[in-house]
Amino acid sequence: MKDLNIQELERRFQEKIDNDIKIEPRDWMPEEYRQTLIRQISQHAHSEIVGMLPEGNWITRAPNLRRKAVLLAKVQDEAGHGLYLYSAVETLGADREQTIDDLHTGKAKYSSIFNYPTTSWADMGAIGWLVDGAAIMNQVPLCRCSYGPYARAMVRVCKEESFHQRQGFEIISLLAQGTPEQKEMAQDALNRFWWPALMMFGPNDAESPNTLQSMKWKIKRLTNDELRQQFVDVTVPQAHMIGLTIPDKDLKFNEETGHYDFGVIDWAEFWEVVKGNGPCNKERVDARRKAKEDGQWVRDAAMAYAEKRKIQKAS
Amino acid sequence: METKEALFEYVLRIGDDSLILGHRVSEWCGHGPILEEDIALTNIALDLIGQATNLLDYAGQLEGKGRDGDALAFLRYDREYKNLLLVEQTNGDFGKTILRQFLFDAYRTLLLTRLSKSTDEQLSAIAVKSLKETKYHLKHSSEWVIRLGDGTEDSHSRIQSSLDALWKYTDEIFFANEVDALLEKEGIIPSMEGIKNEWTFFVSDIFAEAGLVIPTNNWKQEGGRTGRHTEHLGYLLAELQYMQRAYPDMKW
Ligand SMILES: [Fe+2]
Ligand SMILES: [Fe+2]
Ligand SMILES: [Fe+2]
């Protein structure tokens, strides 16, 4: 084995991938593959954790006990997703706390959608329906990702995300069929979240230089534009079904292609939000940093206590 | 007073405890000191909101005026909430939240154990279901009290000062009036005396292990059980009731 040169290792690695054999943590892998996965999985983990904040914002104001319980359970699921994903990152040799610090210093990114404010209860519907819906589109193909631990984490996560999507849709359809105030609230939430949801799939394929390599490695199975189109095709009829209007005057079903054509995404806004200039970037990162800083004494105490018990046991 | 009327009042009290404490604990969601604790606290909040739902729904049935758990949770005035003052106290740091939880869990476990054998079937069924959850909460909170008490100097002094601040609210846990007397006579609820003795033993034990000292200042603050609250409850209700007050009579 030690005599194998790097080209041979790379050839065997790619052969495994081409034959749909999963790469496991102990297997040899190219350094760029490892780094790409660390970046992608930790970004995904951060998105789950930061994503708790906009929805957590409505837990204490949920309109009834059932909705409160369902929302609590949902946000708790997202924390669980973060936990599995950080574990998957650790299988690649990265340190969980280090990746979290990268989030706090702004070095690591997370899904831009969570930089938009949740200003009404209807946003809990819009987020479940659109944001968890878009996450499913992104993540279902990841269940077949070449890296074993990531693929397995995604299988578990996707089951829960589709549950979230259904609950979100239930919230917003109830509002859409409710009183005029509720209907207005639902439409307003859709107006605010529609475009940011489309941006969740990332830049157009032409602007996404890493896609090709990621597809070759089977870290990515479909391109950004393919996934976005799938999302639009599935979501538009749902909006129509509950009597809401998609805020896009160019949206039109194309009989020839069998897909919806849609308007141009405001990429300037997208890049501003990615850069840190979204409406809530600072609040979100500050909240996460504060949680870590405020919890320092608790973690120190737990460590000191465990240390004392260890010494006690030894003597 | 009729039994049913007394039982309504009683179930409301313990239902409000779950509701208000569940609300407080839920404020932690997304802000816990470590991801695993974020999940644990959210789980506790979820259990408490579930217990509140069962209890307040039952209270509504007992009252017989067509109010359900939601109507009771969201549409009463502050003086009509009967929760302990302890549970409406603000979260403070993680240590204060844990200590508040511990003082409550220790009482609640003893209470639910006894209520499981209540002659009132529905109350006993709710108690059986809640007891499993509450035992887990108590395990969690008592382990943390010990860890923080016997952790670092800083954690010790923090949790000791939380104990100093919260101790005056503990006597109210054992509040009893004519409602309790009537229900106790019928075997629906246990005597508070027995619970008080066991509770005192239990918490003293844990505090000893944690190296914490029970304050000698014996001032007792009560009022929650009769609807006289601290300033904190008003703000909590403003948030809790916001949607139901701003958009009355709608389905969500
Ligand atoms: Fe998730
Ligand atoms: Fe996700
Ligand atoms: Fe989700």
Side-chain angles (χ1 to χ4, degrees):
Chain A
M1 194 67 178
K2 67 172 186 279
D3 294 330
L4 291 178
N5 61 28
I6 194 103
Q7 282 92 338
E8 180 56 15
L9 286 167
E10 273 175 4
R11 194 193 61 76
R12 289 186 181 187
F13 171 81
Q14 190 60 48
E15 194 175 80
K16 265 196 202 166
I17 291 194
D18 295 341
N19 290 319
D20 282 324
I21 297 170
K22 292 270 180 273
I23 307 300
E24 295 299 334
R26 282 160 204 275
D27 297 346
W28 185 89
M29 60 186 86
E31 195 47 29
E32 307 88 278
Y33 176 83
R34 184 188 300 277
Q35 291 309 327
T36 302
L37 277 170
I38 291 177
R39 196 178 344 104
Q40 183 173 336
I41 304 173
S42 61
Q43 262 182 32
H44 191 170
H46 301 330
S47 302
E48 301 286 351
I49 301 305
V50 175
M52 295 169 72
L53 299 168
E55 289 184 283
N57 184 36
W58 279 88
I59 289 171
T60 57
R61 290 177 293 168
N64 61 38
L65 292 169
R66 184 177 152 244
R67 293 288 176 209
K68 192 188 285 289
V70 169
L71 184 58
L72 268 165
K74 186 203 183 221
V75 180
Q76 190 191 28
D77 284 347
E78 307 301 3
H81 299 170
L83 213 53
Y84 317 144
L85 288 164
Y86 284 124
S87 308
V89 175
E90 286 180 320
T91 65
L92 290 157
D95 175 54
R96 168 171 149 183
E97 291 310 310
Q98 182 55 53
T99 55
I100 291 174
D101 288 337
D102 287 347
L103 168 70
H104 297 171
T105 57
K107 197 178 139 203
K109 301 292 176 212
Y110 54 89
S111 183
S112 287
I113 191 85
F114 301 120
N115 291 315
Y116 291 85
T118 51
T119 49
S120 86
W121 171 253
D123 294 1
M124 299 304 99
I127 288 183
W129 174 36
L130 303 175
V131 177
D132 288 79
I136 294 166
M137 292 286 167
N138 264 324
Q139 291 168 19
V140 165
L142 288 175
C143 298
R144 294 183 296 126
C145 158
S146 60
Y147 187 58
Y150 193 28
R152 289 187 290 272
M154 280 305 104
V155 172
R156 208 166 151 188
V157 166
C158 279
K159 273 190 204 136
E160 291 179 351
E161 301 296 12
S162 57
F163 196 57
H164 299 164
Q165 195 270 348
R166 280 205 300 276
Q167 284 164 346
F169 187 65
E170 187 195 303
I171 290 175
I172 205 149
S173 17
L174 199 72
L175 298 182
Q177 286 145 30
T179 64
E181 292 93 328
Q182 287 175 311
K183 186 158 183 170
E184 192 185 319
M185 197 189 276
Q187 183 62 54
D188 174 60
L190 176 58
N191 293 348
R192 284 179 290 110
F193 279 97
W194 175 254
W195 291 104
L198 293 192
M199 294 176 198
M200 283 177 71
F201 298 94
N204 288 133
D205 294 347
E207 314 294 322
S208 183
N210 299 325
T211 295
L212 208 66
Q213 181 58 271
S214 285
M215 303 227 355
K216 192 169 162 232
W217 279 335
K218 295 188 182 168
I219 292 174
K220 221 175 155 78
R221 294 285 193 150
L222 294 165
T223 71
N224 295 352
D225 287 330
E226 285 168 341
L227 290 164
R228 190 168 10 247
Q229 185 66 55
Q230 244 183 37
F231 176 77
V232 171
D233 289 344
V234 168
T235 312
V236 170
Q238 292 172 343
H240 292 162
M241 192 173 86
I242 57 176
L244 294 181
T245 310
I246 301 283
D248 177 358
K249 58 177 179 14
D250 298 322
L251 185 82
K252 202 170 161 266
F253 188 72
N254 184 328
E255 298 285 352
E256 235 165 84
T257 60
H259 295 290
Y260 281 93
D261 293 336
F262 53 94
V264 180
I265 291 171
D266 180 355
W267 293 111
E269 174 181 324
F270 173 77
W271 289 115
E272 280 303 320
V273 180
V274 169
K275 261 188 353 211
N277 294 328
C280 299
N281 294 58
K282 185 167 164 19
E283 285 84 345
R284 301 296 185 238
V285 174
D286 283 354
R288 291 310 309 159
R289 195 189 303 116
K290 184 174 187 306
K292 185 163 183 184
E293 285 167 5
D294 289 355
Q296 189 61 50
W297 72 276
V298 177
R299 297 190 300 277
D300 290 345
M303 276 206 329
Y305 177 79
E307 202 53 43
K308 282 186 201 175
R309 291 292 82 83
K310 223 163 67 191
I311 294 167
Q312 207 176 51
K313 237 184 177 169
S315 66
Chain B
M1 191 187 293
E2 265 186 82
T3 309
K4 217 173 173 181
E5 200 184 328
L7 190 52
F8 166 68
E9 174 73 16
Y10 186 83
V11 175
L12 205 56
R13 286 180 194 168
I14 60 175
D16 284 346
D17 285 347
S18 302
L19 175 70
I20 302 300
L21 186 59
H23 181 103
R24 279 292 184 229
V25 179
S26 80
E27 293 171 6
W28 274 98
C29 187
H31 308 279
I34 185 168
L35 198 45
E36 287 78 354
E37 272 315 298
D38 214 307
I39 294 176
L41 288 173
T42 305
N43 204 44
I44 292 166
L46 196 52
D47 288 343
L48 288 167
I49 296 301
Q51 294 176 12
T53 307
N54 293 331
L55 289 164
L56 295 177
D57 272 338
Y58 183 38
Q61 281 171 36
L62 289 162
E63 186 193 35
K65 290 183 183 162
R67 291 202 283 184
D68 63 2
D70 281 330
L72 287 169
F74 294 92
L75 293 169
R76 276 177 294 156
Y77 296 118
D78 57 337
R79 291 295 301 264
E80 298 166 311
Y81 285 80
K82 300 297 169 66
N83 59 279
L84 297 167
L85 297 182
L86 175 70
V87 300
E88 71 195 43
Q89 299 311 301
T90 52
N91 285 341
D93 64 12
F94 179 74
K96 186 180 170 196
T97 292
I98 284 293
L99 192 81
R100 182 187 63 199
Q101 192 69 36
F102 169 69
L103 295 167
F104 179 78
D105 292 340
Y107 144 70
R108 190 71 166 216
T109 303
L110 294 167
L111 178 68
L112 291 172
T113 305
R114 288 161 175 77
L115 286 179
S116 307
K117 291 167 214 126
S118 168
T119 54
D120 185 83
E121 264 176 49
Q122 196 155 348
L123 186 56
S124 126
I126 296 173
V128 169
K129 194 167 172 285
S130 313
L131 181 59
K132 265 220 303 253
E133 299 165 350
T134 304
K135 277 183 173 165
Y136 160 77
H137 303 170
L138 177 60
K139 182 174 181 295
H140 176 260
S141 59
S142 44
E143 283 172 2
W144 271 110
V145 167
I146 296 168
R147 229 175 258 139
L148 297 177
D150 190 18
T152 62
E153 238 173 81
D154 181 35
S155 72
H156 176 85
S157 78
R158 279 174 185 257
I159 194 160
Q160 179 66 56
S161 57
S162 297
L163 176 55
D164 296 345
L166 291 174
W167 187 250
K168 67 176 176 197
Y169 298 113
T170 56
D171 198 55
E172 189 187 24
I173 291 174
F174 311 104
F175 172 93
N177 64 5
E178 68 278 6
V179 167
D180 304 73
L182 193 154
L183 297 173
E184 199 186 315
K185 211 170 64 200
E186 304 203 15
I188 296 174
I189 67 163
S191 131
M192 269 300 171
E193 264 323 296
I195 293 184
K196 185 173 182 171
N197 289 335
E198 266 198 65
W199 181 88
T200 309
F201 269 124
F202 182 80
V203 303
S204 306
D205 243 27
I206 298 286
F207 288 149
E209 195 176 340
L212 297 172
V213 182
I214 292 176
T216 47
N217 179 346
N218 261 336
W219 169 248
K220 303 299 181 199
Q221 183 67 53
E222 57 174 43
R225 288 293 190 233
T226 51
R228 284 179 297 112
H229 291 276
T230 58
E231 288 179 349
H232 305 300
L233 187 70
Y235 294 98
L236 187 154
L237 294 180
E239 248 181 275
L240 176 70
Q241 300 186 342
Y242 165 65
M243 289 296 292
Q244 289 288 345
R245 297 295 186 193
Y247 302 93
D249 300 321
M250 297 183 198
K251 283 206 165 49
W252 305 94

